[in-house]
Amino acid sequence: MTQKPNPLSSIKISGPIPAHLARAVIEETLRNAILDGRLPCGTAMRQQELASLFGVSRMPVREALRQLEAQSLLHVVTHKGAVVAPLIEDNSAETYGLRMLLESEALRLSIPFLTDADIAEADGLINALEQERDYAEIGRLNRLFHMALYGKAPNQRLLKLVEHGLNEEERFLRFNLEAMGLGETSQEDHRELLALVAQKKVDESILTLRNHLMRGMEVITTYLNGLDNKGAQ
């Protein structure tokens, strides 16, 4: 029987990693491999195997895995340890409901501190999204656009929670966006949202953001239900 290739073999390490950078390097390397699909859902992240791969002790590996678990990129499974999390959870409606609360608050806190440079950055990301045809890159640009609007919120813990939700969405969009056909609608929403943010219209901006996220939730829920129905046939 032919053995399946180990997904970790897709990760290439160039030279020894300085001890003081080990945790950050491991975290970023694994994060990128999860986001771009080299480490697919369900892949086991065994500490000793990773320590050997990166040429480090298990301590920085353990710390990196904890960070990735906190970002919802890994789940801890009984008798299996840390594994790469699903692209999106079954409770997508609950996830989007939580995102509405967190992102609305982040936007509310951020708007008063946004500068013309921040608005220009967000506008540039919309322009890039309108031109981009690579679905993996679209997911990344979408995350960067939203974080450009939320990034001046002074609550750093809130921003981390927000970015974790956007990371989850980015992974999902990388592999499903083409089948869902979201592109043009998303940019119309983004342009409307940015125009209100630029005018410092906080309440109107939050309402537009919530409508945008609600539409996204409806499209994703419909898409996932369609997949479930196909699988049941």
Side-chain angles (χ1 to χ4, degrees):
M1 182 180 293
T2 304
Q3 275 191 330
K4 291 183 179 180
N6 185 344
L8 290 178
S9 63
S10 67
I11 298 176
K12 307 302 178 186
I13 310 301
S14 56
I17 303 172
H20 68 289
L21 297 177
R23 195 276 301 164
V25 170
I26 295 167
E27 178 187 343
E28 185 65 17
T29 301
L30 294 179
R31 181 179 182 279
N32 288 337
I34 292 170
L35 289 177
D36 66 23
R38 283 176 290 152
L39 296 179
C41 306
T43 300
M45 299 281 99
R46 298 181 177 88
Q47 291 184 20
Q48 188 55 57
E49 189 175 8
L50 289 168
S52 299
L53 173 65
F54 287 96
V56 299
S57 70
R58 292 175 62 169
M59 183 177 293
V61 171
R62 185 161 54 248
E63 292 172 353
L65 294 180
R66 284 175 180 164
Q67 291 297 317
L68 294 169
E69 182 187 1
Q71 296 167 34
S72 300
L73 294 176
L74 297 181
H75 283 176
V76 175
V77 178
T78 306
H79 305 308
K80 194 172 182 180
V83 300
V84 177
L87 286 175
I88 200 161
E89 301 290 354
D90 293 335
N91 59 349
S92 56
E94 292 181 5
T95 298
Y96 262 80
L98 182 59
R99 280 188 59 192
M100 285 182 200
L101 293 174
L102 296 174
E103 293 184 36
S104 294
E105 180 64 6
L107 185 63
R108 183 184 70 79
L109 294 173
S110 182
I111 285 176
F113 300 103
L114 291 173
T115 65
D116 290 344
D118 296 322
I119 300 300
E121 177 187 356
D123 185 63
L125 288 165
I126 293 176
N127 292 335
L129 278 162
E130 288 177 334
Q131 300 299 318
E132 187 58 59
R133 294 296 176 265
D134 180 272
Y135 292 103
E137 184 65 7
I138 288 173
R140 187 184 75 88
L141 291 170
N142 179 73
R143 172 174 57 83
L144 291 177
F145 168 78
H146 282 273
M147 288 306 298
L149 299 186
Y150 309 149
K152 289 297 176 68
N155 188 326
Q156 292 303 306
R157 289 189 61 130
L158 173 62
L159 285 178
K160 283 186 178 181
L161 290 171
V162 166
E163 189 156 26
H164 295 168
L166 289 168
N167 284 336
E168 183 181 41
E169 182 183 54
E170 179 184 347
R171 288 184 67 220
F172 181 78
L173 293 180
R174 278 173 180 259
F175 301 101
N176 295 279
L177 186 57
E178 182 175 13
M180 291 164 56
L182 280 180
E184 291 183 5
T185 301
S186 293
Q187 297 328 302
E188 291 172 3
D189 284 359
H190 286 163
R191 289 240 176 250
E192 180 183 358
L193 175 59
L194 183 59
L196 292 168
V197 168
Q199 298 172 65
K200 306 291 187 184
K201 294 183 176 180
V202 176
D203 292 341
E204 293 92 331
S205 297
I206 290 173
L207 178 60
T208 299
L209 172 64
R210 291 174 68 86
N211 288 338
H212 170 62
L213 293 176
M214 182 67 74
R215 278 191 285 273
M217 181 190 74
E218 290 170 352
V219 172
I220 287 177
T221 300
T222 300
Y223 175 69
L224 291 175
N225 287 341
L227 293 181
D228 290 341
N229 292 336
K230 286 181 181 178
Q233 290 175 357

